[in-house]
């Protein structure tokens, strides 16, 4: 089924482009509303701990179901299975770290589902695994900027690099499914990041941000009572490693430089998703 979808989208880019745009605008951008709806459904029926436990249990069940097509589609291909399950193990570990360090409430796993789906839809246009991760990261960064600077500037204290990282990791779950079915139109080359349009877009974005900071259009850190703080990545400086939002809820706010380094390392790590596998290894 996934192979048929990928083939259809590859052969029909006139459909693929609007589908990607519609999915991003109608499903990905409103993920905060999705969380509110789910919270409303559970409101008054269970405690915060029970709510988190329920979401975690559903996530683990979803992960088990997710593994089945990976196993099925890599049967008889040990080299491909080793590649995919190696990356899956790392991605599950990164997801665990997200739960422990970056996620405030477990419904934020919706990021994984949304960006996994976004990556699947986007891949037929990009045709490269590492570049698709990069495009999803850029879309995730735009998603968080939309929320931070426009939707809710008065109730957010920092640009959410936490969610940018979670979005990146979520996209990999989708690409592991794509890699398992091995679409024939997929491309791979060693320096895909440095030669890709996505990398050039990233370079231009970083250059623009640097120029904006130098010209005092954008601030990395600004006092909360400063009107310029609206255009600051951090409005309220974090004190210490942990941020406490509830007696039993602590998480780490990823700082801008820290976020850029972590995103860069993850992108380099996942560049190997497109590694060529020799026929002799099958």
């Amino acid at each position: 089924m996934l192979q048929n979808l990928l083939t259809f989208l590859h052969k029909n880019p006139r459909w693929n482009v609007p589908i990607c745009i519609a999915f991003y605008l109608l499903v990905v951008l409103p993920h905060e509303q999705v969380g509110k709806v789910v919270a409303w459904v559970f409101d008054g029926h269970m405690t915060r701990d029970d709510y988190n436990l329920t979401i975690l249990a559903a996530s683990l069940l979803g992960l088990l179901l997710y593994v089945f097509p990976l196993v099925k589609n890599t049967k008889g291909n040990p080299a491909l299975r080793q590649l995919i399950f190696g990356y899956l193990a790392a991605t599950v570990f990164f997801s665990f770290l997200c739960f422990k360090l970056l996620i405030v409430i477990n419904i934020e796993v919706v990021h994984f589902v949304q960006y996994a789906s976004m990556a699947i839809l986007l891949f037929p246009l990009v045709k490269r695994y590492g570049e698709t991760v990069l495009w999803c990261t850029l879309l995730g960064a735009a998603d968080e900027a939309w929320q931070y600077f426009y939707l809710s500037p008065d109730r957010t204290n920092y640009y959410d690099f936490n969610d940018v990282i979670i979005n990146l990791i979520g996209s990999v779950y989708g690409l592991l499914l794509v890699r398992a079915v091995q679409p024939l139109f997929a491309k791979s080359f060693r320096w895909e990041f440095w030669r890709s349009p996505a990398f050039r877009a990233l370079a231009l974005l970083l250059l623009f941000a640097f120029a904006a900071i130098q010209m005092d259009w954008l601030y990395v850190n600004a006092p909360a009572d400063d009107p310029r703080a609206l255009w600051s990545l951090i409005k309220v400086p974090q004190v210490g490693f942990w941020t406490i939002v509830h007696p039993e809820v602590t998480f780490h706010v990823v700082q801008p430089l820290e976020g850029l380094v972590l995103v860069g390392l993850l992108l380099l790590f996942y560049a190997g998703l497109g590694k060529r596998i020799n026929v002799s290894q099958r």
Side-chain angles (χ1 to χ4, degrees):
M1 181 177 178
L2 179 58
Q3 180 69 275
N4 293 336
L5 172 63
L6 292 171
T7 301
F8 171 80
L9 293 176
H10 168 65
K11 292 182 177 179
N12 298 275
R14 65 183 183 277
W15 287 102
N16 196 176
V17 173
I19 286 174
C20 285
I21 294 174
F23 183 83
Y24 183 71
L25 294 178
L26 300 177
V27 180
V28 174
L29 284 183
H31 66 257
E32 186 176 1
Q33 284 66 38
V34 173
K36 289 180 179 178
V37 170
V38 175
W40 175 79
V41 170
F42 285 99
D43 185 37
H45 300 288
M46 58 179 64
T47 65
R48 182 189 184 99
D49 288 342
D50 290 339
Y51 171 75
N52 275 333
L53 184 60
T54 300
I55 299 298
L56 179 60
S59 301
L60 292 175
L61 177 60
L63 180 61
L64 289 175
L65 295 175
Y66 167 85
V67 169
F68 282 115
L70 297 182
V71 173
K72 179 181 178 181
N73 286 283
T74 57
K75 185 178 180 180
N77 192 336
L80 179 62
R81 175 169 291 187
Q82 181 179 8
L83 176 72
I84 287 178
F85 280 90
Y87 273 108
L88 177 62
T91 304
V92 170
F93 175 69
F94 294 151
S95 301
F96 170 77
L97 292 180
C98 288
F99 272 99
K100 300 297 289 184
L101 299 175
L102 307 183
I103 288 178
V104 180
I105 190 167
N106 287 351
I107 190 55
E108 291 187 52
V109 296
V110 70
H111 288 261
F112 292 137
V113 177
Q114 289 174 313
Y115 278 86
S117 303
M118 187 77 248
I120 290 172
L121 295 175
L122 192 59
F123 184 82
L125 290 173
V126 179
K127 302 178 180 63
R128 295 187 174 95
Y129 297 93
E131 188 175 351
T132 304
V133 177
L134 183 49
W135 276 120
C136 286
T137 302
L138 291 172
L139 290 173
D143 179 5
E144 300 310 321
W146 167 256
Q147 292 185 64
Y148 178 63
F149 291 112
Y150 181 76
L151 282 185
S152 53
D154 297 329
R155 58 186 180 86
T156 51
N157 294 328
Y158 56 89
Y159 177 80
D160 205 340
F161 276 99
N162 293 37
D163 282 357
V164 173
I165 293 170
I166 295 169
N167 297 339
L168 187 164
I169 294 171
S171 70
V172 175
Y173 282 107
L175 290 176
L176 289 175
L177 284 173
V178 174
R179 187 69 213 257
V181 302
Q182 299 191 88
L184 298 177
F185 57 83
K187 298 179 181 178
S188 175
F189 57 88
R190 180 172 298 179
W191 300 108
E192 64 179 78
F193 271 10
W194 321 121
R195 300 178 183 180
S196 69
F199 177 77
R200 294 168 186 169
L202 175 62
L204 286 174
L205 176 63
L206 293 176
L207 182 62
F208 174 79
F210 178 78
I213 291 173
Q214 294 303 308
M215 292 185 287
D216 291 336
W217 294 349
L218 178 69
Y219 297 84
V220 174
N221 220 320
D225 57 352
D226 190 328
R228 299 174 304 175
L230 176 64
W231 303 106
S232 172
L233 295 177
I234 298 290
K235 297 175 188 174
V236 179
Q238 184 182 18
V239 178
F241 183 84
W242 296 106
T243 294
I244 301 174
V245 295
H246 184 273
E248 298 179 0
V249 179
T250 60
F251 71 105
H252 174 62
V253 175
V254 176
Q255 302 300 295
L257 180 58
E258 180 187 11
L260 291 175
V261 171
L262 290 173
V263 167
L265 291 175
L266 286 170
L267 289 173
L268 288 174
F269 176 73
Y270 285 118
L273 271 174
K275 176 183 177 182
R276 191 181 304 277
I277 295 177
N278 297 327
V279 176
S280 59
Q281 290 180 282
R282 299 190 178 197

